[in-house]
Amino acid sequence: MSQERVAVGLNTPKGSQKVYYLGEQLDVLPNVYEPSDDTYLLVDAALSVVRPTDSVLEVGTGCGLIAKIVARLARSVIATDTNPQAVANATLNGVEAIHGDLFANLHRRFDLIIFNPPYLPTHSDMSSDWLTRAWDGGPSGREVIMRFLSQVDGHLTDRGRVLMSISSITGHREVIERMKAQFEIVRTLAERKVFFETLYVILGAEARAFSERQ
């Protein structure tokens, strides 16, 4: 799949930039996480597993790039973000987005839940601005991930799957072991070495999620 992407600062809302990927053009507003290697690895993996009948939720959508691209193939897509500026940004880019922390304000289940979590280990005295929160995973890098996993079952359909990005510096083995305790199937769908870390995309699901289609 093409990895073409470029960001430029022309003809965009004031203080923002444009990002292009897989034929989509999106604005990225100030104080919103800019799509990066983890975003592109996750959206490519999502395209390999999404089904035409899927209702999809993207948690932590940022500018909405993943949700917008996955919407090409899915039955429906909705996104959330704890950053109100990200919700406004995703909406600007044509994504249905609501404000909330993880699954707050959601009262339905989904066939596919996609999450690019904050996964970098940080110190408690770090700044709490919106951009920092986008990658601040707490002291272990896994605090938000573990909260997500503890809540996600209540928002999955019977054939629901979870697709999540993690990093080697997060303690990805610990995350995988936690997912194995929760899901019958746990697979690494993609990985990529970038600078000081290796990025992974992990799928978690019950066996029944693949009973009709592998």
Side-chain angles (χ1 to χ4, degrees):
M1 183 173 293
S2 170
Q3 294 296 315
E4 180 183 356
R5 56 186 183 268
V6 61
V8 298
L10 301 176
N11 302 317
T12 62
K14 184 176 181 181
S16 68
Q17 62 180 338
K18 286 191 180 295
V19 170
Y20 300 86
Y21 192 64
L22 297 180
E24 297 289 349
Q25 173 183 297
L26 294 91
D27 292 306
V28 182
L29 301 180
N31 300 312
V32 175
Y33 183 75
E34 179 184 343
S36 189
D37 292 285
D38 50 0
T39 315
Y40 302 120
L41 190 66
L42 183 56
V43 72
D44 288 349
L47 291 175
S48 74
V49 300
V50 65
R51 302 167 181 170
T53 56
D54 278 344
S55 60
V56 179
L57 168 67
E58 186 197 2
V59 176
T61 192
C63 72
L65 183 144
I66 293 176
K68 190 171 182 68
I69 292 177
V70 169
R72 297 174 181 176
L73 302 180
R75 175 170 58 88
S76 65
V77 178
I78 190 170
T80 70
D81 205 293
T82 189
N83 178 357
Q85 297 170 63
V87 173
N89 196 163
T91 301
L92 173 69
N93 287 322
V95 173
E96 181 182 357
I98 62 174
H99 180 237
D101 178 36
L102 296 180
F103 302 102
N105 303 317
L106 289 172
H107 306 287
R108 52 182 287 201
R109 293 176 181 264
F110 300 88
D111 302 310
L112 178 63
I113 298 179
I114 303 169
F115 188 32
N116 185 13
Y119 56 67
L120 294 182
T122 59
H123 300 292
S124 59
D125 58 353
M126 290 289 293
S127 168
S128 61
D129 62 80
W130 288 118
L131 280 179
T132 301
R133 294 182 192 181
W135 49 261
D136 182 355
S140 72
R142 299 188 294 275
E143 270 70 11
V144 179
I145 291 171
M146 295 306 177
R147 281 204 300 121
F148 169 82
L149 290 173
S150 71
Q151 298 176 32
V152 71
D153 284 350
H155 297 275
L156 289 169
T157 64
D158 286 345
R159 64 173 194 157
R161 295 98 67 212
V162 170
L163 199 63
M164 182 170 64
S165 59
I166 57 175
S167 167
S168 56
I169 63 174
T170 306
H172 76 284
R173 291 183 179 178
E174 289 88 341
V175 175
I176 289 174
E177 288 305 312
R178 169 64 174 78
M179 293 181 70
K180 286 181 177 179
Q182 184 169 352
F183 300 107
E184 294 173 341
I185 296 173
V186 177
R187 297 174 180 166
T188 300
L189 297 188
E191 66 179 86
R192 181 180 301 160
K193 177 71 175 177
V194 290
F195 302 109
F196 55 86
E197 62 181 329
T198 301
L199 302 173
Y200 302 87
V201 176
I202 310 299
L203 173 77
E206 299 303 310
R208 62 178 175 267
F210 299 94
S211 59
E212 297 182 0
R213 173 181 169 182
Q214 185 64 33

